[in-house]
Amino acid sequence: MIERILNVKVGEPLESSLARATRTMEALERGETPQPYFGVGFSDIGQLFSVFTPRRWDLLAALRENGPMTIAALARRLERDYKNVHSDVAKLCEWQAIEKDEKNRVIAPYSEIVVDVRLPHGRAA
């Protein structure tokens, strides 16, 4: 199985994203198979924290530890309300941090989630 890493970027300049896309397109034009890249970007740390809340990190950890499960089983495992877990699953699916399999179970498909936060210019200590 191919190792999948989710790259979560905060404050990455648009030029960096465009350069990565350009390198991928150039590799494809040469007939090469580029390394898969899975990534999501946030403009600032507040946006990151609105998606990746502490409870959602717990949800990701439960999926990594226990494997695929239904939302109901996940809610029981986390000892949380089904409706709230369902909302968290929907948000994390939207941001590609988790997926649903063919049996409609939720899974954490990444071996790692790497978070890269860049401080805005002029705010460094």
Side-chain angles (χ1 to χ4, degrees), residues 3-125:
E3 182 177 83
R4 294 175 67 187
I5 299 171
L6 178 62
N7 295 280
V8 178
K9 305 270 187 179
V10 178
E12 179 180 40
L14 179 60
E15 296 80 19
S16 297
S17 296
L18 293 175
R20 186 173 39 256
T22 299
R23 288 190 303 274
T24 299
M25 295 304 293
E26 289 170 348
L28 289 169
E29 287 174 357
R30 292 189 302 270
E32 300 171 10
T33 302
Q35 174 109 8
Y37 180 84
F38 305 95
V40 295
F42 297 96
S43 59
D44 58 52
I45 198 76
Q47 187 185 34
L48 168 72
F49 289 155
S50 73
V51 173
F52 287 95
T53 64
R55 287 194 173 237
R56 291 178 184 157
W57 281 115
D58 291 343
L59 186 153
L60 283 164
L63 288 173
R64 293 271 306 150
E65 291 170 7
N66 300 289
M69 63 180 75
T70 65
I71 295 174
L74 182 57
R76 284 190 300 274
R77 169 77 59 182
L78 295 170
E79 298 179 350
R80 292 182 50 207
D81 179 72
Y82 173 89
K83 182 179 173 185
N84 293 332
V85 172
H86 186 276
S87 294
D88 285 346
V89 164
K91 182 60 80 171
L92 290 173
C93 282
E94 177 185 335
W95 283 92
Q96 302 175 10
I98 61 176
E99 299 173 351
K100 290 188 177 180
D101 68 10
E102 65 282 348
K103 296 179 181 178
N104 208 34
R105 299 176 303 177
V106 289
I107 59 172
Y110 300 101
S111 57
E112 292 180 56
I113 297 178
V114 177
V115 179
D116 180 11
V117 178
R118 299 178 187 239
L119 292 173
H121 293 299
R123 293 194 185 177

